[in-house]
Amino acid sequence: MISILIKGNHIDHFDHAIITFVQNFETSTLTNLMLFFTEVGSGSSIHIFAFIIFILFYFFLKYRVELLLFIIVLLSSHYLFRALKHMFQRSRPDLNRLVEIGGYSFPSGHATNAICIYGILTFVLWRHIPSFAGRFLLLSISTFMIFAIGISRVYLGVHYPSDVLAGYFAGGCLLTIVIWIYHFALVKMK
């Protein structure tokens, strides 16, 4: 639906209004903070994060099935946003870009990865955290990271807000499908 709105130029006003609003807060401190969050969502950081999760899940927590689920979501997310970028080939915004980056804009790979990775970690860890406070903390940190990574892309001028929303939707759909298949497979195995 977002791609249809983009093709018909029906979302341009929304994109420009949000970009202007977000970039009005520009300071050197905030720029450094946004660079940090965008780096946390980058491919190299995700590889390091995934390696740490692999070690924790496999060797310490013994979450072998959950580890497989994490790897499936991680790889699927990467190939999903790559395929969608290739399909839509939307150019990146030209408004006050604070960092230079190549490639296509739609959907945001950072946003897709963020919702998939933090979403699947929340799903896996939720069942193992018995307290309300622990679950609330888990959900709060995941939500914050997903939002911060997405907003950093708009702030730095490398994505339109609609790119970030599309990344969230694409990642959310992928996450829902993988979790549904996981539950279906568990029921069949019992």
Side-chain angles (χ1 to χ4, degrees), residues 106-145:
F106 183 87
S108 166
H110 278 66
T112 307
N113 282 336
I115 200 160
C116 284
I117 290 168
Y118 289 101
I120 200 63
L121 284 177
T122 301
F123 172 75
V124 167
L125 297 175
W126 183 272
R127 299 174 319 145
H128 300 285
I129 299 175
S131 71
F132 173 79
R135 286 179 170 183
F136 179 78
L137 182 62
L138 173 68
L139 191 59
S140 298
I141 291 170
S142 294
T143 302
F144 175 78
M145 290 304 294

Side-chain angles (χ1 to χ4, degrees), residues 9-27:
N9 296 322
H10 299 298
I11 205 163
D12 290 351
H13 180 70
F14 166 80
D15 278 337
H16 292 290
I18 299 294
I19 289 171
T20 302
F21 175 77
V22 169
Q23 289 186 343
N24 276 337
F25 293 100
E26 184 182 331
T27 65

Side-chain angles (χ1 to χ4, degrees), residues 51-183:
F51 181 73
I52 292 168
I53 294 298
F54 177 84
I55 299 297
L56 285 173
F57 278 20
Y58 192 83
F59 293 107
F60 294 101
L61 300 174
K62 310 291 187 211
Y63 295 170
R64 306 286 165 75
V65 174
E66 288 93 340
L67 177 59
L68 180 61
L69 184 64
F70 176 78
I71 291 170
I72 288 169
V73 169
L74 185 69
L75 292 174
S76 300
S77 171
H78 175 77
Y79 289 110
L80 174 66
F81 84 76
R82 292 264 183 217
L84 291 172
K85 280 181 183 288
H86 182 71
M87 185 183 344
F88 291 107
Q89 298 184 1
R90 185 183 196 192
S91 298
R92 293 188 183 272
D94 290 336
L95 308 170
N96 192 27
R97 194 179 300 178
L98 300 178
V99 294
E100 285 304 316
I101 188 169
Y104 296 120
S105 185
F106 183 87
S108 166
H110 278 66
T112 307
N113 282 336
I115 200 160
C116 284
I117 290 168
Y118 289 101
I120 200 63
L121 284 177
T122 301
F123 172 75
V124 167
L125 297 175
W126 183 272
R127 299 174 319 145
H128 300 285
I129 299 175
S131 71
F132 173 79
R135 286 179 170 183
F136 179 78
L137 182 62
L138 173 68
L139 191 59
S140 298
I141 291 170
S142 294
T143 302
F144 175 78
M145 290 304 294
I146 291 166
F147 179 75
I149 289 169
I151 202 72
S152 74
R153 306 303 284 166
V154 174
Y155 177 91
L156 295 172
V158 295
H159 279 294
Y160 294 101
S162 55
D163 298 336
V164 173
L165 286 175
Y168 288 157
F169 286 133
C173 287
L174 173 67
L175 196 58
T176 302
I177 290 166
V178 171
I179 289 172
W180 181 84
I181 291 170
Y182 171 75
H183 277 296

